[in-house]
Amino acid sequence: MGLDVGGTAIKGLVIDEKGKIVCEDSVPTRVGEELLGCIEEIAEKLVRLTGKTFSGLNGIGVCCPGLVDENGIIVFAGNLKLKNFPLQDRLIKNLGVPVKVLNDANAAALGEAKFGAGKGYKDSVMITLGTGVGGGVVIDGKLFDGYKGAGTEIGHMVIERGGNACTCGRRGCFEVYCSARALTARTKWAMEEDTSSEMWKTYSLATADGRTAFEYMDCDRTARMVVNWYLKYLACGLTNVANIFRPQVILIGGGVAAQGSRLTIPLQKLVDEELFGGTDYAPVKIECATLGNRAGGYGAAAAVME
């Protein structure tokens, strides 16, 4: 069983060893101490749907945003209003099955590596482009947890020294330039600067989003400039990741990944041009993730398969 704790809902699924979904469901998220009961509620609901009991599960994986240590303690998760919360031990005690709690970006990376676009690769990195920028690293088929299970904060490496302020307190972070929020903000700024832009035909400052510039890039100079600006920074961050980990593939997830080849083809070209040592010896592919919003659930389930 894999449970993905989000800000508004907990999405859960049960899969077999090949990744086939046996059942799935969701419940609204309750935060703070009430999260424990909420997780137990969806777990019990899913077990009933399987027609079995908890003893019929290999285990339950739970992923959530925030910092999770190697013992499944949620060190800090602001959106869930939790700090130093021993979620894993409490679930094991209450449900009587093996439980693994991990960060949601790490889970998504593991899910894609085991059952999604990274399935054919031993080494992969998943980058999620959403409200922020998250990421997870899989090396030789296993999730890289980092010291004390802290994982990686790829979104908070600096790609513009002294750049725009980030919520983490630093300036110029990858997240500040390459999240879907950053792309939307840049699009709106460009529309204000160019009131004759074709983007105004179907979008306003209230409705423009991360898709807008991509939709008009072929017919509007301003939209194309926005896309090129975004791709330049995104390629910078991806090249840094490629040079550090040298994975076989970097997978792009999140809402921006819906652009498909319009995103990956130019990104591949830019990364190839800047990749240390070039592409002849150890090329790094850029591809879109395929599991969508199920990636976290798949990865959480995969975490208790090992």
Side-chain angles (χ1 to χ4, degrees):
M1 181 184 295
L3 306 177
D4 185 356
V5 179
T8 59
I10 301 177
K11 301 185 290 291
L13 49 78
V14 176
I15 60 174
D16 64 19
E17 67 278 1
K18 295 182 179 179
K20 180 181 178 181
I21 294 177
V22 177
C23 62
E24 59 183 326
D25 211 328
S26 66
V27 298
T29 301
R30 299 192 298 273
V31 300
E33 291 278 342
E34 291 188 41
L35 179 66
L36 180 64
C38 194
I39 290 173
E40 292 173 358
E41 178 187 338
I42 181 64
E44 290 166 357
K45 198 173 184 181
L46 287 168
V47 164
R48 286 196 300 270
L49 288 174
T50 67
K52 300 180 180 180
T53 63
F54 280 108
S55 62
L57 297 173
N58 288 337
I60 299 173
V62 181
C63 68
C64 63
L67 184 59
V68 182
D69 76 7
E70 76 269 40
N71 297 311
I73 296 173
I74 300 177
V75 178
F76 179 75
N79 290 344
L80 300 177
K81 298 182 180 179
L82 291 173
K83 187 174 182 179
N84 296 323
F85 188 69
L87 181 60
Q88 186 167 295
D89 285 348
R90 292 193 186 185
L91 288 173
I92 291 172
K93 179 181 178 181
N94 293 353
L95 300 179
V97 293
V99 176
K100 172 71 175 176
V101 178
L102 66 162
N103 170 266
D104 55 357
N106 282 346
L110 185 60
E112 287 289 346
K114 296 293 186 183
F115 302 109
K119 189 175 180 180
Y121 305 98
K122 290 175 64 177
D123 304 315
S124 62
V125 176
M126 168 90 166
I127 304 292
T128 54
L129 306 173
T131 304
V133 172
V137 180
V138 174
I139 300 172
D140 198 21
K142 296 186 179 298
L143 188 65
F144 172 71
D145 283 337
Y147 180 53
K148 291 190 174 182
T152 57
E153 284 295 340
I154 291 173
H156 296 290
M157 65 174 170
V158 171
I159 61 172
E160 182 79 44
R161 177 69 177 169
N164 296 336
C166 181
T167 55
C168 75
R170 303 184 79 193
R171 285 188 169 275
C173 287
F174 191 18
E175 179 172 299
V176 175
Y177 293 89
C178 296
S179 64
R181 178 187 294 174
L183 176 57
T184 298
R186 185 71 179 189
T187 300
K188 291 180 178 182
W189 174 84
M191 289 172 66
E192 286 185 294
E193 290 292 302
D194 181 8
T195 56
S196 65
S197 169
E198 295 288 316
M199 292 186 284
W200 285 101
K201 287 186 175 180
T202 51
Y203 290 96
S204 66
L205 293 181
T207 60
D209 57 24
R211 299 168 296 180
T212 305
F214 278 96
E215 288 180 11
Y216 281 92
M217 62 180 287
D218 294 330
C219 65
D220 183 75
R221 178 175 175 271
T222 298
R224 189 160 55 252
M225 288 174 63
V226 170
V227 171
N228 289 340
W229 173 90
Y230 182 72
L231 292 175
K232 178 186 73 171
Y233 280 106
L234 184 53
C236 176
L238 296 185
T239 304
N240 289 347
V241 169
N243 286 339
I244 293 168
F245 295 104
R246 205 64 175 216
Q248 294 164 286
V249 64
I250 296 177
L251 304 171
I252 308 295
V256 180
Q259 297 302 324
S261 61
R262 290 165 70 84
L263 181 74
T264 57
I265 289 176
L267 273 179
Q268 186 74 69
K269 183 176 183 296
L270 290 168
V271 171
D272 286 351
E273 290 173 352
E274 297 188 12
L275 189 66
F276 181 80
T279 61
D280 291 340
Y281 174 64
V284 178
K285 294 183 179 180
I286 310 295
E287 297 182 7
C288 285
T290 57
L291 296 180
N293 61 13
R294 289 190 177 102
Y298 266 107
V304 290
M305 285 181 170
E306 301 177 344

